[in-house]
Amino acid sequence: MSAVNEKPQYKAWFESLDDPSERHALDEIVYTDAGGGLLQVVHDMDELKKVAAEEWKQRFEVRRGGSEWPYGSGVWCMKEWILPEIDSNNVVSMYEGNTNLFWAERFGREIGVEDLWLKLCGNSHTGSFKDLGMTVLVSMVNDMISRGKEIPAVACASTGDTSAALSAYAAAAGIPSIVFLPRGKISMAQLIQPVSNGAIVFALDTDFDGCMEIVRQVAEKDGVYLANSMNSLRIEGQKTISTEIVQQFQWEVPDWLVIPGGNLGNVSALAKGLDMMLELGLIKRKPRICVAQAESANPLYLSYLKDFEVFEPIAARTTVASAIQIGNPVSIKKAIDALRRYDGVVEQASEGEIVEACAAADRTGLFNCPHTGVAIAATRKLVDRGLIKPDDRVVVISTAHGLKFVDFKLDYHNMALADHVPEHANPPIELPADYGQVRDRMLHEIDTRRSG
Ligand SMILES: *Cc1c(COP(=O)(O)O)cnc(C)c1O
């Protein structure tokens, strides 16, 4: 039928970052190029350009949040930009994305920037932005399996959230999953997710980088499919963070995007979404990007101080922001390229600054994970340095739900943190069940909170 032939033939493939002549099909099991470098997913932009920018916007607006499978998802509403060739019946989606923007009006006023927003990516099925990338990766694997490819299981190393997302999507598709976690270094909530979803869970006596070494080996030698962010399929889903934000602001581009960074896949994805919107004419202007790192795991920050001319991996030290405790980020090259394209800056935050940023923002109605705390602390520093102007529109990417990370909040409010005396501790008041005593204390507390 001619109508079918007239339909645009959107295509995407893996391409080597270093050598664009090296290409692979998206259903090929390949994670790196011939030289061991990263691959990226490249789209046939000429085909996508045949649709006008206004038409794309309209398509996304009509589909997003609706019930037509799988287009209601914040990721799959942009299917042509993500995995154009996949059969929709093989998509494994939990209608991820479509997360809300929180106008941090009170907190913004406190730090001196009124147009401050948090993109609450943690308001998602497994409680972090990792769902956005995992729906794409697991869908691709599901599609490959349905066409007879031999894939015994999917596997990842994780600082907690990747394994939660992988095990949930794999369980939904009925595909075995294996996760490698650094023993004792992730939260209880993160650990119980893959356990509950029936993943094969390994808690190894090492850090994230050590788990990464193991998973690389099982992928290479035992044929399990690697789900870490060196697999660039995940970036395709995560890039919808920026398109979604821009759409939520009626296609107006914010002045700043502030994002916490560990393995640096997420900032690469953020920039990739912007790149595509610019190239296809949906936006005209670039935002600036700030990557925020914990001082204890700051290899990108150290490189930034040297204008990115050198990069040296470090041994990451313990940080309350455990999901970004990474010393040798896989996506370093993509991240540096992204920061160069978006007039980027890198800022860091100490452990004390992280917990205080979380606590201060929580008191204005938020409930932040520590990684979001890193980004908030960085935002505050950029405002203080005058880089972020008082009337700039700033969007902080909140990467996970605070409920996944309550241990540090308990320690903070119980004044049980090592080496830090909290400024905003608010421990429960323990009293006998006696009206007189309760009333006296209550009136006193109301009074102090009003004046404070
Ligand atoms: C994975 C993760 C990050 C870091 O993202 P990268 O892509 O590794 O830089 C930040 N915050 C949370 C909650 C995460 O799970």
Side-chain angles (χ1 to χ4, degrees), residues 127-130 159-162 190 229 234 238 259-268 323-324 326 331 369 371-372 398-401 404-405:
S128 87
F129 76 85
K130 297 294 199 298
T159 52
D161 292 327
T162 299
Q190 289 174 311
S229 63
R234 282 184 40 205
Q238 288 173 211
I259 185 168
N263 230 349
L264 305 176
N266 211 22
V267 63
S268 313
I324 56 175
I326 293 172
S331 296
C369 79
H371 325 89
T372 307
S398 173
T399 47
H401 202 294
K404 288 184 99 168
F405 299 89

Side-chain angles (χ1 to χ4, degrees), residues 91-134:
V91 167
V92 184
S93 170
M94 300 180 186
Y95 273 33
E96 49 290 312
N98 296 331
T99 55
N100 60 302
L101 283 164
F102 180 108
W103 182 20
E105 188 184 9
R106 250 188 88 200
F107 184 67
R109 221 180 296 130
E110 274 174 26
I111 68 167
V113 48
E114 297 218 353
D115 208 356
L116 176 67
W117 301 76
L118 274 85
K119 173 69 172 163
L120 297 184
C121 301
N123 289 350
S124 182
H125 184 73
T126 72
S128 87
F129 76 85
K130 297 294 199 298
D131 291 351
L132 301 172
M134 214 48 90

Side-chain angles (χ1 to χ4, degrees), residues 10-292:
Y10 305 110
K11 285 202 162 40
W13 56 89
F14 287 125
E15 192 173 291
S16 160
L17 274 187
D18 297 323
D19 172 14
S21 72
E22 184 183 338
R23 287 185 178 185
H24 303 272
L26 293 183
D27 61 358
E28 202 177 308
I29 300 178
V30 56
Y31 314 109
T32 55
D33 66 14
L38 285 191
L39 298 167
Q40 59 178 339
V41 174
V42 174
H43 292 263
D44 182 345
M45 296 302 282
D46 290 336
E47 207 54 61
L48 292 171
K49 277 178 194 159
K50 290 181 185 165
V51 176
E54 288 310 312
E55 163 73 22
W56 282 125
K57 290 180 186 176
Q58 218 188 341
R59 274 192 208 177
F60 302 156
E61 276 164 18
V62 167
R63 292 169 176 175
R64 189 184 288 288
S67 57
E68 194 195 341
W69 180 266
Y71 296 115
S73 149
V75 171
W76 297 102
C77 70
M78 313 182 66
K79 184 167 181 273
E80 299 91 332
W81 291 29
I82 310 283
L83 281 187
E85 292 160 279
I86 194 172
D87 181 342
S88 288
N89 292 319
N90 291 334
V91 167
V92 184
S93 170
M94 300 180 186
Y95 273 33
E96 49 290 312
N98 296 331
T99 55
N100 60 302
L101 283 164
F102 180 108
W103 182 20
E105 188 184 9
R106 250 188 88 200
F107 184 67
R109 221 180 296 130
E110 274 174 26
I111 68 167
V113 48
E114 297 218 353
D115 208 356
L116 176 67
W117 301 76
L118 274 85
K119 173 69 172 163
L120 297 184
C121 301
N123 289 350
S124 182
H125 184 73
T126 72
S128 87
F129 76 85
K130 297 294 199 298
D131 291 351
L132 301 172
M134 214 48 90
T135 181
V136 176
L137 182 139
V138 174
S139 295
M140 191 68 232
V141 172
N142 196 40
D143 192 61
M144 287 152 75
I145 291 173
S146 81
R147 287 184 288 113
K149 239 188 186 128
E150 194 55 51
I151 297 175
V154 286
C156 73
S158 176
T159 52
D161 292 327
T162 299
S163 52
L166 178 65
S167 51
Y169 282 88
I175 300 168
S177 65
I178 309 161
V179 305
F180 297 95
L181 303 166
R183 188 157 78 91
K185 294 194 174 82
I186 68 166
S187 78
M188 200 56 88
Q190 289 174 311
L191 177 62
I192 200 62
Q193 289 180 293
V195 166
S196 304
N197 286 140
I200 302 163
V201 180
F202 289 103
L204 304 182
D205 278 318
T206 179
D207 56 6
F208 169 79
D209 298 297
C211 290
M212 198 61 224
E213 274 312 305
I214 301 286
V215 79
R216 273 185 214 244
Q217 291 191 48
V218 300
E220 191 185 318
K221 296 172 186 162
D222 306 295
V224 301
Y225 191 85
L226 181 67
N228 277 96
S229 63
M230 67 185 298
N231 185 326
S232 58
L233 287 170
R234 282 184 40 205
I235 305 288
E236 292 312 287
Q238 288 173 211
K239 78 186 179 196
T240 61
I241 288 183
S242 45
T243 51
E244 198 167 299
I245 290 170
V246 173
Q247 184 180 334
Q248 283 171 313
F249 285 115
Q250 282 77 46
W251 306 100
E252 254 180 56
V253 179
D255 298 294
W256 282 92
L257 297 169
V258 184
I259 185 168
N263 230 349
L264 305 176
N266 211 22
V267 63
S268 313
L270 188 76
K272 192 170 185 204
L274 294 165
D275 293 342
M276 284 187 81
M277 284 190 289
L278 283 163
E279 193 173 346
L280 295 171
L282 280 74
I283 59 173
K284 303 275 180 253
R285 192 169 90 81
K286 288 184 176 184
R288 293 189 70 181
I289 293 179
C290 170
V291 174

Side-chain angles (χ1 to χ4, degrees), residues 413-434:
H413 290 290
N414 287 325
M415 291 175 272
L417 285 176
D419 314 320
H420 185 78
V421 182
E423 289 167 26
H424 301 285
N426 183 33
I429 299 159
E430 293 176 358
L431 280 180
D434 172 81

